[in-house]
Structure formats: structure tokens, C-alpha cells
Amino acid sequence: INNEKLFNLNDKQVDIINKTLIINKIISWVTNCINQNNISNNTKNVYIQLLSQYNITREEWLTIGLDYYYNYLIDLSNKIVIPSNNDIDKLESIKEFLDLTNNQSNETEYNYVTKVINNIHIDVFSEKFMKALDECMTPTNVISEDYYDSLHRLGDRLGLTTESTIQLLSLTIRNKLKSILTSIYNTYQSVNEKNKKSKPIEDEKLGFVNKPDNSLDSNIDSSIDNSNTLFMNEINNMIDFYVENYKLFNVSIDLPTSESVNYTLPSDSTSTKLSIDTITDNQVITKLPVLVTEVLPEE
């Protein structure tokens, strides 16, 4: 391109335009090669020589190649539900053809490219994997061991690392926790209302109803006992949901036993400690609003 034809652009600007035009031509040529499945090493060497000839740096080509791979994966995801073995083989061949896999001698570059490709697969395929997780949690909310191998194979098919599948599991669990906690909180409100009605009016005036150290009235009828049992069952089910799903993916969850749990009540800045071993059902019920309001997002 001649300077006079570019409105008196300086040499650096001309070089940028020239390089952009060359890159676009190379990308178009690479696309045609991939579409025609002409991605041999000989074909690859042709455009590698062009990159060198026109001073396109390794860093520039990595950016171009990764962006190309990302868009190719999006297009593939829109066309199919799950990649087939042939699709997986072609993806590996495309990464090779785009020169995204061969530079293991450069650890920094290799780690960077590997991380970006992992993130690309998470971005493109996360919804598919999370949908499978959600379906496997139905109806008990806990994934059966029978599904583990299938989920593991699905993660491989989608190009997800073990770390990525655990991250998506965590996100799926978090999404489900809102509805679970909402159900628990509704149960809490129902139980608490029954407990209030069972108290003498004098106790209510004295402010004893909701104190953590106040045990349930001995005169509570069987319906209230059943409600409290239902509430504690829902708490246990939530813990099982949280722990068992992680356990299936070999992620250990350390729940406190005899240690104290520290948290701050929203009404003041004082810290309250509760011993898990000695906490009563009524204390759990009293403290639940604190836990729910901290976990549930605002509508």
C-alpha cells in the first residue's frame, strides 16, 4: 500500500494497516482449510511461513488463534447438543493446526494457552453441563452414584477439566440453595407462629418467646412437635444436599462438630457463639432468620 494513497499516513500506520490486511487474508485462508478438512502439517507450515514473512509475532498469532478457536466452538455448540468423538478429534486437530498446542518448551506460554482454552470451554459449554447436573439432582436434590460416570464422560466430551466441573457443580448447588433455603425459611415461619400461639400471653408480654435460651414449652401439642421435626428434617436434607453432592465429586466438606460457630447478628455488632453439640432445636429456629437473610439474595 502506497503512502500517497493513504491520506499521508505515517509509516507505522501503514504497517498496521498492511498487517491487518495480511492477517485477514491468512484467517480467511485458514478458515477455508478447516472447512475443507485440509489441516495437515504441510498446510500449517504454509501460513506459519506467511506469519514470519509479514512479521506477525507469536503473541499476535496466539491472540488471533485463540479468538478463532473460541468462535469455532460457539458455532459448534449452536449446531449440536453434545460433541461426538469425531467433533472432539477435530477440535484437537484444529488446536494443532492453529499452533495452540505445540509450544510446551515455553512453560509460560503453554500455561497461558491451556488456561485460556479451559476458560473458553467453560464459557461455551457450562450451561450444557449445569443442565445435566440439575437433571441428575432430580427429584432428591442429591446426585445418584449411578450418574457419576456419565457426568464424568460428559465433562470430558465438553473439554472441561476436573476443576471446571467442580466449579460448575458449586454454581449449580448455589443456584438450588435459594429455593431450598426459601422452603426452610417458610417452614421456620410456620413453626415459629405455632410456638408463639402456644405460649401464655404473659410470657409473650415478658419477651420470652424468641429468646435463644428459652426451651420449647412443655405443653406444646403433637402438631407443633411434628412441625419442629419437619423443620429439622429439612435442615438435615439441606446439609445432605450440600455435602453428598460434593462428596460424589471427591470434594471433602468439613462441617463443624464440637467447634463453635461465630457470626454477627444483623441488629448489632456483637458476636454470638453457638456450640453445635449443645444447640437446641429452638435455638436453631431462633437463629435461622439470620442465616437465611445472609444467604438469600434480595429480590
Side-chain angles (χ1 to χ4, degrees), residues 184-223:
I184 291 175
Y185 186 59
N186 290 338
T187 304
Y188 153 77
Q189 288 181 312
S190 175
V191 172
N192 207 37
E193 276 301 312
K194 290 182 179 179
N195 289 342
K196 283 182 179 180
K197 291 178 181 178
S198 71
K199 290 290 183 180
I201 296 177
E202 296 88 345
D203 282 354
E204 185 169 357
K205 289 181 178 179
L206 291 174
F208 293 148
V209 173
N210 281 327
K211 283 192 175 182
D213 58 351
N214 185 47
S215 60
L216 293 175
D217 191 20
S218 58
N219 295 324
I220 293 178
D221 58 29
S222 60
S223 65

Side-chain angles (χ1 to χ4, degrees), residues 40-178:
S40 65
N41 285 332
N42 290 335
T43 309
K44 174 182 174 181
N45 290 333
V46 172
Y47 84 77
I48 293 294
Q49 290 175 3
L50 289 174
L51 296 178
S52 176
Q53 179 181 341
Y54 291 100
N55 297 319
I56 298 171
T57 65
R58 174 67 179 163
E59 289 76 14
E60 289 172 331
W61 179 248
L62 276 180
T63 302
I64 295 166
L66 288 167
D67 185 65
Y68 186 95
Y69 181 78
Y70 177 53
N71 287 304
Y72 182 89
L73 208 61
I74 290 175
D75 186 56
L76 177 65
S77 177
N78 291 333
K79 292 177 179 178
I80 61 172
V81 178
I82 303 297
S84 66
N85 288 331
N86 289 336
D87 293 325
I88 295 171
D89 291 341
K90 185 160 187 181
L91 287 174
E92 290 300 319
S93 297
I94 289 173
K95 283 190 287 187
E96 173 73 22
F97 185 65
L98 294 173
D99 205 23
L100 301 177
T101 60
N102 271 345
N103 205 15
Q104 296 188 28
S105 58
N106 185 332
E107 184 178 357
T108 301
E109 178 187 304
Y110 178 76
N111 290 338
Y112 167 75
V113 172
T114 300
K115 181 178 180 179
V116 172
I117 288 177
N118 288 341
N119 289 340
I120 287 173
H121 279 261
I122 291 176
D123 186 73
V124 175
F125 290 129
S126 59
E127 286 188 11
K128 294 180 185 291
F129 191 75
M130 289 176 65
K131 181 180 179 182
L133 286 171
D134 188 68
E135 290 174 352
C136 290
M137 288 180 182
T138 306
T140 63
N141 282 334
V142 176
I143 301 172
S144 168
E145 292 184 8
D146 298 336
Y147 292 122
Y148 176 74
D149 288 340
S150 297
L151 287 170
H152 184 73
R153 289 195 299 272
L154 176 61
D156 289 341
R157 283 279 185 90
L158 300 178
L160 301 173
T161 64
T162 300
E163 181 182 359
S164 298
T165 58
I166 293 173
Q167 289 174 343
L168 295 176
L169 172 67
S170 298
L171 186 56
T172 304
I173 288 174
R174 180 176 178 180
N175 290 342
K176 276 187 168 291
L177 269 177
K178 179 179 179 180

